[in-house]
Amino acid sequence: VNEVIQLPRAARAFVSFVALLRVNGFAIAPEQTTAFLEAIALLGPRDPEDIRQAGLATLAPPPERRATYDLLFRIHFLGGEEIPSAEGDDEEIIRLQEEGRGDEEPLLADEINESGEMAVRAEALAERRLIPGGPSEPLRRLAREARARLPRRRGHRRMRARRGPWADLRRTLRELTRNDGEVMRLGRLKRRARPRKMLLLIDVSGSMKARSEDNLDLAHTLVQATPNIEVFTFGTRLTRLTRALRLKRREQALAAASHLVSDWDGGTRIGDALQAFLAVPRFGSYARGAAVVILSDGLERGDLSALRDAVAKLSRRAWRLSWLTPLATGASFVPQTEALTAIHRFVDDMADGGSNAAVVAHVLSLRQRRAA
Amino acid sequence: MAVRANIAGIDSPEALEKALRSAYYLADQGIATAAYLALALGKPLLLEGSPGVGKTEAAKAIAATLGRRLIRLQCYEGIDASAALYEWNYPRQMLAIRQAGDETIDIYGETFLIERPMLAALRAPDSTVLLIDEIDRSDQEFEAFLLEFLSDFQISIPERGTIRATERPVVVLTSNRTRDLHEALRRRCVYHWIDYPTAEREARIVMLRASSVAEATARAIVAAVGKLRREPLSKAPGIAEAVDWAEAATLLNKGGARWPDAFKRSIGVALKDEEDLAFISPRLDALIAEAAA
């Protein structure tokens, strides 16, 4: 770009802004930097607003991270005089980089931590590291068998087949040209099966403490194994983990994910958490036609009717709703707690979620189970 | 890449904004800048936003402003090259083969080619705007296919060879963000996230779109819609719904309904989900009274 050669000094500030964004977790390709410089040249630039707009258009920060982008822009180009320092909240935005931290995150009405001490503990735990070591045998089994045994649905893409509802005209014509214009055999097409959407909701409250880390590990294996999956954790907050868990390396992904979750081992209001989940249209649509799996003990401290409404709503949207609780042992499990009894009739499967092996076995059996 | 600072007399975001306004589209600075940059840099424009914030309208307005024909490709799951790009007219080919007898014919000639939106745009890049609508509805295979098209603006038809655009076509993509698009796709485009407009701008949009609506009605509707958007609804009303609501309420009012009542009776055009209606109905009276005040 000419501008770089003619105005090395001026251009340097823009290029270093891109570097600053990258350091803060924005994924920006070199071609975007080029487009950014061209855009600035095109716009004049007459004022800083032109530069900000050019960056928004060409560097494409995701909408939920707009606030961070604007803040970094002010720091870099305007000397950061306007930064409100009192709350310390903004610094938080910079340090925490993933989704679920922006304005999109639905905060539950009021934190239910009974004491301040609890909050401090939760904060400390946010930094916790997950146990190193390779994946356990059930998880290896999940990775191995996922492709063959996770639920599927009929897709809308067609593939050639021996038998099927449509004629494959393209193939038929090709064969016809080889046979002097005679149709010997009509090729057929059928609908190709695709992996069904999955939605995994993981309870990370105090009562699920023993399972939290294993569940996260399992979520990572599942995210790696199937393309259409969304993972959220809930406790006092709702956190989307899908993107963090897309990282291939297990340790890296788990570290990123555990850093995102800030409400480890806190309290729960499952009903409110699920309501909050359903209230974001984008999230709510993840449940539509999906195999929804909730890993929670159902120990509800909040309002039972909120829980019942949310689960009923989820159940109507889902293809099949599974509630896996560590309390359920054996096939003859009958829910005892008030919350589980209340939601029992909306849930398609209420099964054992007490160990990786049990959860994996259930998830892999989903394809055999019919849509409810 | 050819940078063109001046396209059809438009040489700045402000000029584009003005031109869009005469096409009945009120653009804010953000979208005017993004659209101008997309035109000038020769890149596709990717518009994301909640349903009903006017993404498709923006594409229509851009086409009208440039005086070009809009070619719309609506995406859906399973959309493939034969629906988006080209298709051979198989029955015609078969008949031609039968009729040809001993003569040789080229069954991959122009007469047998059915043009689909992307090919049509590629062949007339200077007189069309290609709108690829709701790209998030298509599957990953199509997204990958699109990536190739958007980076080189060329397509290869195995039987015919490669067709290349003589200049970069104007392409607008929209997404409702029901799933995350591939990073590579975002990277190739000029991006803009369309937010709900400010109350002031939305009232102007309502009056521009529905000329029969009085200013007071428009303001009341916009205030009410703004309140509804803050509620945890599964489908929040968009700008289109606000316009419809204002028109419907005005119509009822002309038919004799009193004001707060006209708003309330026409709520069905703004909220179209039964659960949402049930959720909001106990507070609807208060909400409308507050908005109308």
Side-chain angles (χ1 to χ4, degrees), chain B residues 115-137:
Chain B
E115 223 178 48
R116 301 284 194 219
M118 283 164 72
L119 181 60
L122 209 60
R123 283 177 156 184
D126 51 349
S127 63
T128 56
V129 170
L130 175 63
L131 166 63
I132 302 177
D133 218 0
E134 302 190 333
I135 171 81
D136 52 333
R137 278 175 189 257

Side-chain angles (χ1 to χ4, degrees), chain B residues 40-52:
Chain B
L41 297 174
K43 283 175 176 269
L45 175 64
L46 171 59
L47 298 175
E48 274 196 324
S50 315

Side-chain angles (χ1 to χ4, degrees), chain B residues 21-85:
Chain B
R21 202 181 314 147
S22 56
Y24 299 102
Y25 187 86
L26 292 182
D28 63 9
Q29 199 194 350
I31 186 169
T33 309
Y36 170 72
L37 288 176
L39 293 175
L41 297 174
K43 283 175 176 269
L45 175 64
L46 171 59
L47 298 175
E48 274 196 324
S50 315
V53 289
K55 298 182 291 293
T56 307
E57 287 306 314
K60 287 182 186 163
I62 289 171
T65 302
L66 298 176
R68 296 182 179 201
R69 181 163 63 97
L70 183 77
I71 301 178
R72 178 173 177 172
L73 175 64
Q74 170 68 50
C75 293
Y76 51 87
E77 197 210 316
I79 186 172
D80 59 4
S82 66
L85 206 51

Side-chain angles (χ1 to χ4, degrees), chain B:
Chain B
M1 192 192 308
V3 175
R4 305 166 292 180
N6 186 322
I7 312 101
I10 291 160
D11 60 352
S12 69
E14 288 72 28
L16 182 61
E17 191 193 329
K18 224 172 126 189
L20 287 174
R21 202 181 314 147
S22 56
Y24 299 102
Y25 187 86
L26 292 182
D28 63 9
Q29 199 194 350
I31 186 169
T33 309
Y36 170 72
L37 288 176
L39 293 175
L41 297 174
K43 283 175 176 269
L45 175 64
L46 171 59
L47 298 175
E48 274 196 324
S50 315
V53 289
K55 298 182 291 293
T56 307
E57 287 306 314
K60 287 182 186 163
I62 289 171
T65 302
L66 298 176
R68 296 182 179 201
R69 181 163 63 97
L70 183 77
I71 301 178
R72 178 173 177 172
L73 175 64
Q74 170 68 50
C75 293
Y76 51 87
E77 197 210 316
I79 186 172
D80 59 4
S82 66
L85 206 51
Y86 74 94
E87 176 80 303
W88 292 108
N89 191 340
Y90 301 111
R92 204 163 170 183
Q93 283 176 322
M94 284 185 198
L95 280 175
I97 293 171
R98 290 287 170 89
Q99 284 171 352
D102 291 336
E103 290 168 43
T104 56
I105 56 152
D106 177 14
I107 56 163
Y108 294 114
E110 184 64 36
T111 41
F112 301 106
L113 189 66
I114 302 172
E115 223 178 48
R116 301 284 194 219
M118 283 164 72
L119 181 60
L122 209 60
R123 283 177 156 184
D126 51 349
S127 63
T128 56
V129 170
L130 175 63
L131 166 63
I132 302 177
D133 218 0
E134 302 190 333
I135 171 81
D136 52 333
R137 278 175 189 257
S138 70
D139 43 26
Q140 268 100 348
E141 288 96 327
F142 185 71
E143 220 177 294
F145 166 76
L146 203 59
L147 219 53
E148 199 189 326
F149 172 80
L150 292 178
S151 50
D152 301 331
F153 290 112
Q154 65 174 41
I155 22 195
S156 48
I157 300 177
E159 297 87 355
R160 290 279 295 264
T162 304
I163 298 176
R164 192 171 282 117
T166 48
E167 63 174 271
R168 290 190 157 250
V170 177
V171 183
V172 182
L173 298 100
T174 74
S175 160
N176 285 334
R177 209 152 185 255
T178 55
R179 64 180 178 84
D180 290 331
L181 297 181
H182 199 284
E183 278 299 328
L185 188 67
R186 286 164 53 95
R187 232 165 30 218
R188 284 200 171 65
C189 301
V190 171
Y191 177 83
H192 184 69
W193 169 260
I194 304 191
D195 231 328
Y196 289 119
T198 58
E200 175 60 34
R201 209 162 67 82
E202 189 166 13
R204 276 177 27 225
I205 294 173
V206 169
M207 283 184 285
L208 192 68
R209 289 267 153 179
S211 48
S212 64
V213 173
E215 184 170 350
T217 314
R219 289 193 187 284
I221 288 286
V222 165
V225 164
K227 282 183 200 304
L228 286 176
R229 283 181 196 145
R230 281 194 287 277
E231 300 286 341
L233 302 174
S234 63
K235 170 82 184 70
I239 301 177
E241 275 79 19
V243 174
D244 287 350
W245 195 11
E247 264 185 326
T250 305
L251 208 64
L252 286 182
N253 175 249
K254 281 182 182 151
R258 285 165 173 275
W259 262 126
D261 204 34
F263 287 134
K264 203 181 153 189
R265 275 167 53 189
S266 50
I267 182 79
V269 297
L271 287 184
K272 296 166 186 171
D273 183 295
E274 198 199 327
E275 278 173 13
D276 287 351
L277 275 173
F279 173 77
I280 214 78
S281 63
R283 284 176 297 133
L284 190 59
D285 280 326
L287 194 140
I288 287 174
E290 214 177 301

Side-chain angles (χ1 to χ4, degrees), chain A residues 19-337:
Chain A
L20 177 69
L21 289 175
R22 284 208 187 102
V23 168
N24 280 283
F26 290 86
I28 296 165
E31 62 185 286
Q32 286 177 290
T33 313
T34 316
F36 179 45
L37 293 176
E38 283 172 339
I40 292 167
L42 267 172
L43 293 177
R46 294 152 304 181
D47 54 35
E49 181 59 15
D50 277 348
I51 301 169
R52 196 182 73 89
Q53 296 280 4
L56 280 177
T58 55
L59 306 175
E64 64 270 13
R65 300 204 63 204
R66 275 283 276 278
T68 315
Y69 171 87
D70 285 343
L71 183 68
L72 290 171
F73 181 84
R74 284 205 301 275
I75 292 172
H76 191 76
F77 287 106
L78 307 175
E81 290 148 21
E82 320 166 23
I83 304 166
S85 54
E87 285 153 63
D89 218 5
D90 290 80
E91 204 182 331
E92 181 102 319
I93 305 174
I94 296 182
R95 191 166 51 81
L96 302 166
Q97 299 172 356
E98 260 293 347
E99 55 200 329
R101 288 296 173 152
D103 33 359
E104 193 169 332
E105 177 187 28
L107 259 171
L108 301 184
D110 39 315
E111 301 275 313
I112 54 162
N113 293 338
E114 289 86 339
S115 62
E117 183 201 335
M118 197 70 145
V120 175
R121 200 160 73 91
E123 181 62 31
L125 281 161
E127 296 284 340
R128 80 169 162 195
R129 292 275 169 271
L130 285 117
I131 325 160
S136 57
E137 171 49 29
L139 295 189
R140 283 205 299 273
R141 177 179 167 221
L142 178 62
R144 213 165 45 231
E145 298 181 10
R147 181 180 275 271
R149 296 187 51 193
L150 283 183
R152 299 213 243 173
R153 66 177 174 84
R154 272 197 313 163
H156 290 274
R157 212 163 256 280
R158 296 171 187 184
M159 61 187 279
R160 43 167 71 190
R162 205 172 271 277
R163 224 169 274 178
W166 297 281
D168 186 348
L169 292 176
R170 191 180 188 108
R171 183 153 55 111
T172 307
L173 189 97
R174 275 179 184 274
E175 275 176 21
L176 170 152
T177 53
R178 274 179 232 128
N179 298 324
D180 282 340
E182 284 306 319
V183 178
M184 312 291 273
R185 193 169 55 90
L186 200 56
R188 309 297 303 186
L189 292 173
K190 69 169 184 187
R191 288 169 69 172
R192 195 200 294 169
R194 311 191 70 96
R196 184 171 283 281
K197 276 199 287 188
M198 286 190 76
L199 172 64
L200 194 59
L201 297 166
I202 305 173
D203 186 344
V204 290
S205 63
S207 56
M208 285 291 286
K209 193 175 174 181
R211 287 287 311 152
S212 297
E213 294 174 14
D214 280 344
N215 281 343
L216 218 56
D217 205 357
L218 189 128
H220 176 247
T221 311
L222 213 49
V223 167
Q224 294 301 317
T226 182
N228 286 324
I229 184 168
E230 289 290 334
V231 181
F232 290 79
T233 59
F234 63 91
T236 52
R237 284 155 178 267
L238 184 67
T239 316
R240 179 164 178 245
L241 291 187
T242 318
R243 270 224 233 158
L245 294 176
R246 283 249 175 264
L247 292 171
K248 242 197 173 67
R249 276 185 46 212
R250 175 171 167 270
E251 287 76 20
Q252 207 183 353
L254 294 183
S258 60
H259 194 78
L260 276 181
V261 180
S262 61
D263 51 347
W264 289 111
D265 307 346
T268 14
R269 277 186 313 197
I270 308 172
D272 289 340
L274 294 181
Q275 296 275 19
F277 172 82
L278 289 165
V280 180
R282 190 155 79 92
F283 293 170
S285 68
Y286 291 147
R288 206 149 274 160
V292 179
V293 178
I294 301 176
L295 300 169
S296 168
D297 52 11
L299 289 181
E300 174 68 315
R301 290 197 242 168
D303 183 11
L304 268 189
S305 69
L307 175 68
R308 197 170 40 233
D309 288 351
V311 174
K313 212 168 181 179
L314 259 181
S315 150
R316 257 172 293 162
R317 289 194 191 171
W319 167 73
R320 193 169 184 95
L321 177 60
S322 310
W323 192 291
L324 305 186
T325 160
L327 303 178
T329 43
S332 56
F333 168 71
V334 178
Q336 298 296 330
T337 61

